[in-house]
Each structure stands twice: as C-alpha cells, then as structure tokens.
Amino acid sequence: MLSERRQRVLRALIEDYIEYALPVGSRTLTERHRLGVSPATVRNDLSALEDAGFIQQPHTSAGRVPTDAGYRTFVDELLSSGLAEEERPHQAMVDELRASASELDALMERTSAALARLTNCLSIVMAPSVLAGRIRQITLVSLSSWQAIVIVVAEDGQVVNRTVTFADEVSADELASAQNLLNRVLAGHSARDVRRSMDAGTVEALSDPLVQLIIDEVIECLGESESARAHSLGVSALLRQPEFSDSKALLPVIEVLEDDRVLLSTFDEAAAEGGPVMVRIGHENPASELAGVSIVACPYGRGESEGVVAVIGPTRMNYERAIRAVRAAQCALHGE
C-alpha cells in the first residue's frame, strides 16, 4: 500500500510522462508540481516506487517512466473516483452525435471519428450482434419478376440488405403478400429465434417456398453482416505517437486487431464484466502483440444485443480523457 505522498509522486510522474513522453526526474517533478517536499525526498520516493515495480529507469542517467503496474495503480485511482460513472461525460459530444446520425451505422461511423479526434488513439466501435437484435421491419423491393431486394431494419437501427433471385417469376402481389406475412410473424423476434419461436400455425403459414426462401436470405444476410461489425479510425493518430513513429512498431498491433477473433475475445470481456468501463494495460491484454498498448472499452446496448466502443493507444495514453470519451460514446450509442 502506497503512502499518500508516494501516490502523489507517482501520479505526478505519470501525468508528466503522458504529456511529454520523456523520462521524468525528481527535480522536474518538484518544479512542475506542488509536492511540498525537497528533490532529495522525491528521489527517495522514486527509488521506493522503482523497487516496488511501479516505475522503471530506461537508462542509468535518465529519469523514470511508468510500468504497467504503475499505470494500473493510476487508472484504479481514476476509476475509484467515480470518473467512469459520471452521468453526462462530454455532453456536447453526445448531443452532436445524436443530432447528426439517425441510423446506427452512421452513428457508429461518427462516433468512431469523434473518439479518434478526442483521444488521438485508434477508435473501434463494434455494432451489436444483428443476429441477437430484434427485427423491426422487413421490406421487399421488386427489381424484376425474378429479383428483389430484401431490406431488414433492426430495432436498434441497424439496416442490412440483400438481393434475392427467384427460381420462378414472382408478381408484385405475391411479393407484397410475402412482405406482410414476414412482418406479421417476424417483427419483434431476433434472427436467432426465428425458427425456434414459431408456433405450429406460424410454421404452416411460412411453408410457402417464396417465404422460406426470403427467410433463409434474411438469416444469411444478417450472418454476413455479423462478420463486419467494426467501425475503426485513427491509425494515423497512432502513427503520430512517439512510441509508433517507426511504423514497423505498429504493424504487429494492426495485424492482430484485424483478426476478428482477437477483437471479439477482448471486447466480450468488456461486456461480460458488467462494469461501466474496462481498462486493459499493456501485458494485461490477452494477445502478446498488444503488450505495448492499452485498451479502454465499454459495452452499449441492452440484453444479448450489445456492442462495444473502445479506444486503443500506447500505454502512455491519457486515461482520464479516454475514459470520459468512451463513456460519452456509450451514452450516445445507448440512447441515454
């Protein structure tokens, strides 16, 4: 357990390192912060913090930099202060996002751009599962007697569409009848529940080959959309960070983040934890390639249909700003 003074010294060192990306010495700390003690006392505190594993000295003649353990202590202090549970973080951002995007896809794109701008980090917004979300409306638009576009609107605002080709000619009346039937029995259900939630009368009503074909297309369309759920922006912002000035240092990070399985595994933890914000620092991340970055993430949505909003940056990221930003994005996407 750190004393209150050493907590202040550690916090000051981390704040300086976040700001300037340079090792921090005792004299610099006493000049920039009102610690109320001499440089000699701060030197002793820095030695104690180094022995405890909270900071390290990259070179003998240099100052100190935080370790993952030091950042964890700093972040836990931020979280315990109630920062992650503020009711209206970045309210201006929340209002701007809602006013400028009515559909979820557009809202996710704008949210990702805003997060990258606010944090100078890579931002990722993953859509709620379209397979778990409830269907609001299905629209069939005729292209010809042999083709139509199936448009599915989910209750959370996601929109997916697909062109379907018929084996036989389909009239406008037949298409309209199929649309009415599909909306009557599928609205309010998720794609996962479409088949298992149907009663005997509904199964008989859906036995029409045209309706069965469209249902299969709807489920396949939603499944394909499921594999492209992430909106991400901000790689250029990461490249401007000193840690990634050599693009080769960032390449392993980008490569592992392109693996949907890693993203889903990491972000599923955020949804599973149930807290307002998940913070993974350096080596706490499950993939070794992410040992040089931190992830701040939180879920949005309700029930099984949850998405995740996150920022990914160097372990030197501004955690307070990142936590406030993802909470603002959560509020905007959540409709709070």
Side-chain angles (χ1 to χ4, degrees), residues 213-262:
L213 172 64
I214 294 172
I215 288 177
D216 289 341
E217 292 291 340
V218 166
I219 294 175
E220 189 172 344
C221 176
L222 293 174
E224 288 179 357
S225 179
E226 187 83 349
S227 65
R229 292 170 54 197
H231 291 247
S232 62
L233 283 171
V235 172
S236 59
L238 278 187
L239 287 171
R240 289 193 293 270
Q241 301 287 352
E243 292 87 344
F244 303 118
S245 56
D246 181 354
S247 59
K248 292 180 181 178
L250 186 59
L251 186 59
V253 176
I254 299 302
E255 286 179 343
V256 75
L257 290 177
E258 287 177 346
D259 187 336
D260 289 340
R261 292 169 300 175
V262 174

Side-chain angles (χ1 to χ4, degrees), residues 122-124 126 230 232 235 238 250-264 266-267 285 287 289-290 293-295 310-313:
L122 175 67
S123 67
I124 296 179
M126 295 195 74
S232 62
V235 172
L238 278 187
L250 186 59
L251 186 59
V253 176
I254 299 302
E255 286 179 343
V256 75
L257 290 177
E258 287 177 346
D259 187 336
D260 289 340
R261 292 169 300 175
V262 174
L263 276 179
L264 290 172
T266 301
F267 293 160
N285 289 305
E289 295 87 346
L290 301 179
V293 300
S294 289
I295 300 174
V311 295
I312 300 174

Side-chain angles (χ1 to χ4, degrees), residues 2-208:
L2 291 176
S3 67
E4 184 178 344
R5 189 185 72 221
R6 285 178 180 168
Q7 285 180 346
R8 290 201 310 271
V9 170
L10 177 61
R11 183 168 60 249
L13 183 144
I14 291 176
E15 289 173 351
D16 274 11
Y17 188 63
I18 288 173
E19 179 71 21
Y20 301 104
L22 294 171
V24 184
S26 57
R27 185 169 299 279
T28 299
L29 287 175
T30 53
E31 289 174 352
R32 290 178 180 164
H33 302 270
R34 295 180 179 179
L35 298 174
V37 292
S38 67
T41 301
V42 173
R43 276 196 297 275
N44 290 335
D45 288 338
L46 292 178
S47 295
L49 289 169
E50 185 173 2
D51 291 341
F54 294 110
I55 59 176
Q56 61 185 357
Q57 196 169 22
H59 306 290
T60 305
S61 59
R64 271 85 165 186
V65 300
T67 62
D68 288 355
Y71 283 124
R72 170 51 59 191
T73 299
F74 177 73
V75 168
D76 287 347
E77 183 182 344
L78 285 177
L79 295 177
S80 66
S81 71
L83 171 64
E85 298 178 354
E86 288 183 351
E87 291 186 3
R88 290 299 176 209
H90 276 303
Q91 185 60 39
M93 173 187 167
V94 175
D95 294 339
E96 177 189 348
L97 291 172
R98 288 187 187 155
S100 62
S102 56
E103 291 184 358
L104 183 61
D105 276 347
L107 184 56
M108 290 196 309
E109 193 69 32
R110 290 182 180 273
T111 299
S112 184
L115 281 176
R117 185 178 69 249
L118 284 168
T119 63
N120 287 321
C121 293
L122 175 67
S123 67
I124 296 179
V125 180
M126 295 195 74
S129 170
V130 289
L131 293 175
R134 296 182 183 276
I135 296 169
R136 178 191 298 166
Q137 180 180 333
I138 295 176
T139 302
L140 306 178
V141 180
S142 178
L143 296 177
S144 70
S145 299
W146 304 91
Q147 278 192 326
I149 297 177
V150 182
I151 303 172
V152 183
V153 181
E155 289 187 352
D156 62 11
Q158 293 188 83
V159 180
V160 295
N161 64 80
R162 185 181 183 88
T163 300
V164 56
T165 301
F166 309 121
D168 301 306
E169 286 188 272
V170 176
S171 68
D173 288 343
E174 288 175 312
L175 202 62
S177 177
Q179 176 179 296
N180 291 336
L181 176 58
L182 288 166
N183 279 301
R184 188 166 69 249
V185 298
L186 300 186
H189 292 285
S190 72
R192 288 174 178 168
D193 296 337
V194 164
R195 283 186 165 77
R196 67 186 182 201
S197 64
M198 301 294 126
D199 57 31
T202 302
V203 170
E204 184 177 352
L206 296 179
S207 61
D208 180 274

Side-chain angles (χ1 to χ4, degrees), residues 303-333:
E304 293 183 356
S305 183
E306 281 193 331
V308 174
V309 57
V311 295
I312 300 174
T315 54
R316 190 185 51 82
M317 73 159 64
N318 187 320
Y319 290 95
E320 181 172 354
R321 183 184 301 161
I323 291 170
R324 289 182 187 276
V326 296
R327 280 288 290 121
Q330 180 192 45
C331 290
L333 293 162

